[in-house]
Amino acid sequence: MEQPILSVQAVGFKAGQETILENISFDVEKGEIVTITGPSGSGKSTLLKVLGSLISPTKGEILFKGQSLDKNDPLEYRKKVSYFFQNAALFDQTVKDNLTFPYEIRNQDPEEQRIKDYLKKVKLPETYYEKAVTELSGGEKQRIALVRNLLFQPEVLLLDEVTSSLDTENKRIIHTLIKELNQQSDITVLMITHDESELSQADRVIRIIDGRLEEKHDE
Amino acid sequence: MTNNLEINNVSLLFSTALLMVAVFITYKEKLGLGKDIFIAGLRAVIQLFIIGYVLSFIFGLDNLFVTLAMVLFIVFNASFNAHKRSSGIPHSFKISLFSLSAGTAITLSLLVLTGAIEWVPSQIVPITGMIASNAMVAVGLTYRALNGKFQDQRQQVLEKLALGADEKQASLSIIRESVKTGMSPSIDSTKTVGLVSLPGMMSGLIFAGVEPTAAIRYQIVVMFMLISVTSISSVIASFLAYKQFFNEQKQLL
């Protein structure tokens, strides 16, 4: 059997004296769509940030394709396992600044056509490339931020309630793209959500309650 | 020179009347600052008398090592004060000492090598004081800007890290803004010099009887040297300090 792409092994996280996560273990297979759900404040976001290597677990470890995260270069890992924020903030001045950033950090020249093709995929006109970030609506910002994460296709997408503050139309656009990437490119998706339609798309649902795991298979 | 530059003891004593005016106001308006004014006045008298005698002694000695020791003493003190303004940035004393020393050394060397000033204690010590105190303010402002911006722009930095950026790539815009903040006072004062204030160096020389047309030459050098030292010190300090906001796993603290 193929190695799981991500393996969470007895992970715990403490912030000062407070225990946020305790003894969480599960595997994620390549190409799976896993949703993480649970009451707010249960530690879901912390778990996803640990998986995104934005914080380190205080106990246990995470394996990426069988290798401990401690042995992975965090910068390379984050390019492959891409964390996407609930309310993504666009930085600098224009959409262009944001969408050329992934090229900048790889010392590559931006591929303007590829970027514009991606804008079309999230139903935004090419002209948005030069637009100031202050002129965008919340849904547009979120779609552009998604493109920013996808330009160099990651192997795993970590989505933290990315559609929770969006209207139906914006949700639909993002869902369609994620589904398409999962089916065509075998991208593994872990998403935190309370949204019924997102829960129904999932291969598997993981519930976190009070920092502990309660797994349900194939609802 | 016709100017009388001697303030006799009687005049000095009478100048305390100026302090009494302030004490009277604070008493009348119930500001509760009487004690502070008294202590401030006393400290100023003691500190300045001491430094007056120390400087007279050093100028009299005219010894390379003693002058150098005084320069180091000034830079050390300025670094310590900049460090106190860092609000807990780790290693801020070392960073301050390095950035202030580099800024002061480069600027001072340029001034001496170009012949703008001579290596005599009566020029080196006051100029070092000006350079180091401005660098201290610039580095302090740079630290404050770094702290504020890493807090305000936390989300943006996290997003850049999440995209796979390294610490420097994730912080570059904050570093640039912080250097600008550190340098802005010296740029602003350079812009308004002569229009709003007649700065210390020039005023002092005019006071001492030097022709204003000659005094401004010194002031021009001073303004340029302050821009130079604040830029060098702010750049070095911010490029060393930003790393302190991340841990070994390249995560934002």
Side-chain angles (χ1 to χ4, degrees):
Chain A
M1 194 182 142
E2 215 185 325
Q3 215 164 31
I5 191 156
L6 280 173
S7 180
V8 180
Q9 303 195 331
V11 160
F13 186 83
K14 267 188 166 187
Q17 288 299 308
E18 198 188 351
T19 303
I20 312 279
L21 295 174
E22 206 176 348
N23 199 25
I24 303 230
S25 301
F26 62 90
D27 287 346
V28 180
E29 307 299 332
K30 186 173 164 57
E32 251 192 318
I33 297 184
V34 178
T35 61
I36 304 172
T37 186
S40 61
S42 59
K44 306 183 297 288
S45 275
T46 306
L47 175 63
L48 214 63
K49 286 200 174 81
V50 169
L51 284 168
S53 166
L54 293 175
I55 47 178
S56 293
T58 44
K59 256 190 194 168
E61 63 174 348
I62 311 251
L63 305 183
F64 176 62
K65 295 180 182 170
Q67 199 185 31
S68 167
L69 269 204
D70 302 337
K71 296 197 181 78
N72 271 286
D73 172 12
L75 304 183
E76 288 312 308
Y77 175 79
R78 287 175 202 147
K79 284 173 187 149
K80 292 177 198 146
V81 180
S82 191
Y83 184 97
F84 186 60
F85 288 77
Q86 184 169 11
N87 289 306
L90 298 184
F91 38 75
D92 300 334
Q93 311 297 322
T94 61
V95 171
K96 187 178 172 183
D97 294 333
N98 281 272
L99 298 184
T100 52
F101 188 76
Y103 291 91
E104 234 172 80
I105 60 178
R106 291 169 175 83
N107 287 319
Q108 291 184 20
D109 291 329
E111 304 160 287
E112 216 166 287
Q113 199 47 52
R114 183 177 159 78
I115 296 174
K116 286 178 176 169
D117 289 345
Y118 253 106
L119 282 177
K120 272 186 247 166
K121 276 191 190 179
V122 293
K123 309 281 183 260
L124 291 172
E126 281 188 13
T127 48
Y128 268 55
Y129 187 54
E130 306 283 350
K131 221 172 173 144
V133 293
T134 46
E135 292 173 31
L136 304 173
S137 72
E140 289 170 338
K141 277 186 191 163
Q142 199 72 345
R143 283 188 266 162
I144 283 163
L146 184 63
V147 172
R148 203 172 60 184
N149 280 59
L150 293 176
L151 280 168
F152 290 83
Q153 238 169 45
E155 295 179 42
V156 182
L157 253 184
L158 305 171
L159 309 172
D160 188 353
E161 296 197 62
V162 296
T163 60
S164 63
S165 56
L166 301 183
D167 58 33
T168 336
E169 177 59 10
N170 275 302
K171 270 185 194 172
R172 197 185 54 76
I173 294 166
I174 289 182
H175 287 165
T176 311
L177 180 61
I178 289 170
K179 193 84 193 163
E180 189 187 302
L181 285 167
N182 173 256
Q183 283 168 353
Q184 290 174 2
S185 315
D186 219 14
I187 290 186
T188 310
V189 181
L190 262 90
M191 57 173 139
I192 296 179
T193 185
H194 297 290
D195 189 287
E196 284 304 322
S197 64
E198 285 177 3
L199 286 167
S200 66
Q201 276 189 356
D203 299 319
R204 191 149 57 104
V205 177
I206 287 175
R207 273 180 74 80
I208 307 274
I209 294 170
D210 286 338
R212 288 170 169 277
L213 187 76
E214 199 189 277
E215 195 166 350
K216 288 191 204 168
H217 290 277
D218 306 321
E219 283 197 312
Chain B
M1 205 178 290
T2 53
N3 297 29
N4 177 13
L5 287 175
E6 190 79 47
I7 294 184
N8 61 37
N9 289 336
V10 180
S11 308
L12 199 59
L13 202 63
F14 276 125
S15 74
T16 54
L18 296 169
L19 269 191
M20 288 304 140
V21 174
V23 172
F24 177 73
I25 291 172
T26 169
Y27 173 74
K28 198 80 181 151
E29 297 294 327
K30 300 190 174 63
L31 299 179
L33 288 172
K35 197 175 151 198
D36 279 342
I37 294 173
F38 178 74
I39 291 174
L42 196 67
R43 275 190 61 163
V45 171
I46 294 171
Q47 284 164 204
L48 289 175
F49 262 97
I50 292 174
I51 200 67
Y53 282 103
V54 168
L55 288 180
S56 285
F57 175 71
I58 291 174
F59 294 173
L61 272 182
D62 195 4
N63 175 299
L64 175 72
F65 295 105
V66 177
T67 308
L68 210 56
M70 190 66 195
V71 167
L72 292 177
F73 176 76
I74 293 171
V75 171
F76 186 88
N77 272 335
S79 306
F80 187 72
N81 273 296
H83 146 74
K84 282 202 294 191
R85 295 171 195 190
S86 76
S87 315
I89 297 176
H91 306 299
S92 59
F93 179 66
K94 269 192 259 171
I95 295 172
S96 308
L97 192 60
F98 185 71
S99 57
L100 263 73
S101 302
T104 308
I106 294 170
T107 309
L108 212 52
S109 309
L110 278 174
L111 288 172
V112 173
L113 288 175
T114 54
I117 61 166
E118 286 172 47
W119 184 272
V120 288
S122 62
Q123 294 192 15
I124 293 295
V125 175
I127 290 283
T128 303
M130 271 191 252
I131 294 176
S133 67
N134 277 274
M136 170 185 86
V137 172
V139 169
L141 284 173
T142 303
Y143 288 149
R144 197 199 296 172
L146 282 172
N147 276 319
K149 288 181 199 304
F150 267 108
Q151 202 170 3
D152 295 346
Q153 298 177 26
R154 189 175 172 80
Q155 168 94 3
Q156 283 98 318
V157 177
L158 282 172
E159 286 187 18
K160 288 179 179 174
L161 288 177
L163 290 167
D166 64 25
E167 305 98 304
K168 189 175 163 190
Q169 290 163 335
S171 321
L172 207 55
S173 59
I174 292 182
I175 295 173
R176 284 194 188 123
E177 288 169 40
S178 303
V179 173
K180 267 193 209 168
T181 308
M183 287 185 68
S184 60
S186 61
I187 295 175
D188 282 346
S189 62
T190 304
K191 277 186 203 158
T192 58
V193 68
L195 298 176
V196 180
S197 67
L198 297 181
M201 180 74 168
M202 179 176 159
S203 306
L205 290 171
I206 294 173
F207 222 83
V210 173
E211 272 296 308
T213 47
I216 55 141
R217 288 171 181 270
Y218 272 98
Q219 194 58 51
I220 291 170
V221 173
V222 166
M223 299 322 281
F224 293 172
M225 96 189 172
L226 295 186
I227 289 186
S228 149
V229 72
T230 52
S231 61
I232 297 169
S233 304
S234 297
V235 165
I236 295 176
S238 58
F239 272 96
L240 292 175
Y242 84 86
K243 291 181 188 150
Q244 312 300 324
F245 290 83
F246 298 89
N247 65 15
E248 270 180 27
Q249 288 78 45
K250 301 172 200 265
Q251 294 161 342
L252 184 62
L253 293 170

